[in-house]
Amino acid sequence: LKDYPVIELGASLGVTSLALNGILINKQIVSVEANRKLIGNLESTKLLNQLHNWTILNYAIDYSGASHVKFTIDPANLGSHKSHSHDTTNIIEVPTITLKLVNKKWLNAEKFVLIADIEGAEIEFVLNDQVLLQEYCKQMILELHDTQYRNTFYSKSQIASLIKTECKMNEVFNDGKTWVFNK
């Protein structure tokens, strides 16, 4: 982990980002957080701790081709996610980005570590950015979630299996919630 820059999807309150900054001396960290209500806290943490190697982005990972998606904000910040509801309570519009574009625009790394907790949206980069993950990703640390994507249900174990076969990664840890894959 400490030898490579990190892309973190789902920065939330920044606890993981802050810990990474303590481990990754002089390595770039790019954190993507869809909940814009958390961006100010993340920026304050960055400033307070003088973390010049940390880039914070307000986007949602998405491969639909849309410029924005609807995003449901959980008031307790325990499960904010892309919205599939017509209810407008706690829903905001968020600009979209792909994992490949995050790497290209802000990291431009030939090798990186991916850390993600994005409430089921991990299936999107697994299915749509396989070449990037095969060629550039050295390690993935993911909280996997059962999810529905393009009218297909994917269990956590099915997503893990896709990572192994399609992204050419080896599973080295799995506690049923968090998975670690290495090259």
Side-chain angles (χ1 to χ4, degrees):
L1 174 70
K2 68 181 180 177
D3 296 327
Y4 302 101
V6 172
I7 297 174
E8 176 191 27
L9 306 178
S12 188
L13 299 174
V15 174
T16 301
S17 309
L18 197 54
L20 286 170
N21 271 291
I23 297 168
L24 302 173
I25 309 303
N26 297 319
K27 295 289 182 194
Q28 185 68 23
I29 299 168
V30 177
S31 295
V32 180
E33 175 53 54
N35 184 347
R36 72 172 156 253
K37 293 180 179 183
L38 298 176
I39 298 299
N41 292 335
L42 293 167
E43 291 290 353
S44 294
T45 299
K46 175 183 174 176
L47 186 64
L48 182 66
N49 292 282
Q50 300 177 0
L51 303 172
H52 306 289
N53 61 326
W54 187 16
T55 302
I56 300 163
L57 306 173
N58 180 216
Y59 287 96
I61 295 297
D62 183 76
Y63 292 84
S64 69
S67 64
H68 288 75
V69 294
K70 293 185 185 306
F71 195 79
T72 301
I73 302 298
D74 180 339
N77 194 44
L78 299 174
S80 297
H81 59 277
K82 283 188 195 177
S83 178
H84 303 290
S85 169
H86 296 293
D87 180 13
T88 57
T89 308
N90 294 321
I91 294 180
I92 60 173
E93 290 223 352
V94 180
T96 62
I97 197 160
T98 64
L99 182 58
K100 183 177 182 177
L101 194 54
V102 170
N103 184 46
K104 182 178 180 180
K105 286 184 77 172
W106 286 280
L107 198 59
N108 201 25
E110 290 190 18
K111 302 292 180 196
F112 65 87
V113 171
L114 176 62
I115 298 175
D117 180 8
I118 52 176
E119 305 305 317
E122 58 274 355
I123 189 64
E124 294 192 41
F125 62 75
V126 169
L127 293 176
N128 295 289
D129 256 333
Q130 293 170 358
V131 172
L132 174 81
L133 294 170
Q134 286 173 15
E135 294 180 11
Y136 297 98
C137 188
K138 295 298 285 181
Q139 183 178 52
M140 287 188 216
I141 304 168
L142 310 172
E143 183 175 305
L144 296 180
H145 305 270
D146 293 341
T147 193
Q148 185 93 14
Y149 180 62
R150 295 187 176 159
N151 299 317
T152 302
F153 175 80
Y154 295 92
S155 69
K156 293 182 278 189
S157 60
Q158 287 172 313
I159 297 168
S161 181
L162 283 169
I163 292 168
K164 291 185 276 189
T165 59
E166 303 302 320
C167 302
K168 310 295 188 231
M169 303 289 283
N170 300 308
E171 183 180 317
V172 295
F173 176 81
N174 161 11
D175 68 3
K177 185 174 182 177
T178 303
W179 272 256
V180 178
F181 302 91
N182 286 341
K183 272 291 180 217

